[in-house]
Structures are given as structure tokens and as C-alpha cells.
């Protein structure tokens, strides 16, 4: 009986130790990640992308999704236009000349909706907690190009990233709690 109890406790301890790093890694990733949605018209793909810093631009978000999750993409016009995502789109460097369809760029509004981006992705700053979307279709504005499906950061990456902690106020100089003087040196 004692041997079984020890074996069970050892098994529980090993399992808890093995799961602890996974939970910690997820929290660390969520603190500096953004969501990316790719809507091909027939399929929708979502990626939680680690930023690797405080921000990236919209093109770098795609590149990071490629290296982190295997998203297939092709850029044109000097890396400033998206020709292909998830194996859908133009195969050459002319992202807009092969057919009437193209990738439309959208920015998440925080509640699942989208706003058409009139600015190119290479000029947009993406920060932790943001969601960017790309949809394959026609139309040159948010009123004529189909948006990606409603998506929030939480639906892609889990819990919202924690806000930056507030700096702690400096402790007053002089006597420490309990009447002791501060130590020098």
C-alpha cells in the first residue's frame, strides 16, 4: 500500500512539474503577441503571433506567422504588398495584375469587428493585443471588399495581454519600518 501511494504521489508531482512550464510559456507569449486572421474565401486561418518586441509592422506580422506557424506567403513590390497568403493569390511579383482578386488589409476594432486599412501594412504598427486580418476578394474599400470573420484577440490568443505594470513609488528615505535607520553601502 505504501509503495502504491508513493508511486501515485511521485506520478502526480512529475505531472505537475511537466505542466508548469507549459502554462508559464503561454502567459509569456500572450504578453507580447498579436492575432492574425487570413480569410481565403473558402477557409479561415488564425494565428497567435509572438511579436519579439513591443511592436512590428503588418508585413512583419505575416513574416513572423510564416516562421512561427508555417503560413505560406509571397510579397511583391519590394516587400510592401501581399501577393499570396495560405497558398491563395498571385504567384508572381505583380500582386494585382494576374486576376481581379487581391488581399484586402483589415484592422481589428477590439470587439470582433474590422476597419478597412487605408494604409499599407508596412506602414502600420501592430502591438500586443492587436488583431490584423487579410481577406481575399474584390473591391477597393471596406464597403466593397469582404472583411474576415468577426475575430477578437482572445479568440485567437487566449486571455488579453496584461497591461504594463505601473512603476512602484520610491520608498521614503529616513527611518525604515520598525524605527531602524537605512543602511549605507
Amino acid at each position: 500500500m505504501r509503495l502504491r501511494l508513493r508511486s501515485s504521489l511521485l506520478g502526480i508531482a512529475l505531472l505537475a512539474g511537466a505542466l508548469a512550464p507549459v502554462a508559464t510559456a503561454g502567459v509569456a507569449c500572450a504578453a507580447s503577441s498579436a492575432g492574425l486572421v487570413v480569410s481565403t474565401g473558402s477557409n479561415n486561418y488564425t494565428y497567435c503571433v509572438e511579436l519579439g518586441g513591443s511592436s512590428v509592422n503588418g508585413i512583419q506580422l505575416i513574416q513572423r506567422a510564416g516562421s512561427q506557424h508555417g503560413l505560406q506567403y509571397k510579397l511583391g513590390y519590394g516587400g510592401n504588398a501581399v501577393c499570396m497568403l495560405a497558398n491563395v493569390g498571385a504567384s508572381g511579383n505583380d500582386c494585382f495584375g494576374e486576376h481581379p482578386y487581391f488581399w484586402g488589409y483589415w484592422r481589428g476594432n477590439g470587439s470582433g469587428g474590422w476597419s478597412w486599412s487605408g494604409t499599407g501594412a508596412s506602414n502600420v504598427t501592430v502591438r500586443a493585443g492587436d488583431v490584423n486580418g487579410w481577406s481575399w476578394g474584390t473591391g477597393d474599400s471596406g464597403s466593397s471588399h469582404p472583411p474576415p470573420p468577426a475575430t477578437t484577440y482572445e479568440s485567437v490568443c487566449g486571455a488579453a495581454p496584461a497591461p504594463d505594470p505601473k512603476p512602484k513609488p520610491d520608498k521614503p528615505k529616513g527611518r525604515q519600518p520598525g524605527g531602524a535607520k537605512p543602511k549605507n553601502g
Side-chain angles (χ1 to χ4, degrees):
M1 177 72 168
R2 275 187 163 167
L3 184 56
R4 257 191 244 175
L5 180 59
R6 281 187 189 169
S7 295
S8 296
L9 291 175
L10 179 61
I12 291 170
L14 289 173
L15 179 61
L19 294 178
V22 172
T24 304
V27 171
C29 180
S32 64
S33 60
L36 177 64
V37 179
V38 176
S39 179
T40 66
S42 57
N43 293 306
N44 297 306
Y45 303 95
T46 59
Y47 306 92
C48 187
V49 183
E50 175 64 38
L51 300 179
S54 61
S55 67
V56 297
N57 69 40
I59 296 293
Q60 291 167 330
L61 187 67
I62 290 170
Q63 293 169 325
R64 288 183 168 280
S67 64
Q68 294 172 21
H69 302 288
L71 172 64
Q72 296 294 314
Y73 67 91
K74 180 160 181 44
L75 304 175
Y77 295 100
N80 292 312
V82 176
C83 296
M84 182 179 61
L85 289 171
N87 292 318
V88 173
S91 58
N93 289 327
D94 184 1
C95 300
F96 310 107
E98 291 183 22
H99 35 71
Y101 287 85
F102 67 96
W103 285 102
Y105 183 42
W106 298 81
R107 310 228 22 228
N109 67 10
S111 62
W114 298 100
S115 296
W116 178 261
S117 181
T119 303
S122 61
N123 295 316
V124 170
T125 301
V126 179
R127 292 185 173 82
D130 288 350
V131 179
N132 279 211
W134 293 88
S135 66
W136 183 244
T138 61
D140 59 0
S141 70
S143 62
S144 58
H145 197 96
T151 308
T152 62
Y153 173 84
E154 291 81 7
S155 69
V156 177
C157 295
D164 290 335
K166 294 180 182 176
K168 295 179 182 175
D170 291 334
K171 291 184 179 180
K173 297 191 181 197
R175 296 195 175 264
Q176 299 290 322
K181 292 184 180 179
K183 292 183 180 179
N184 293 330

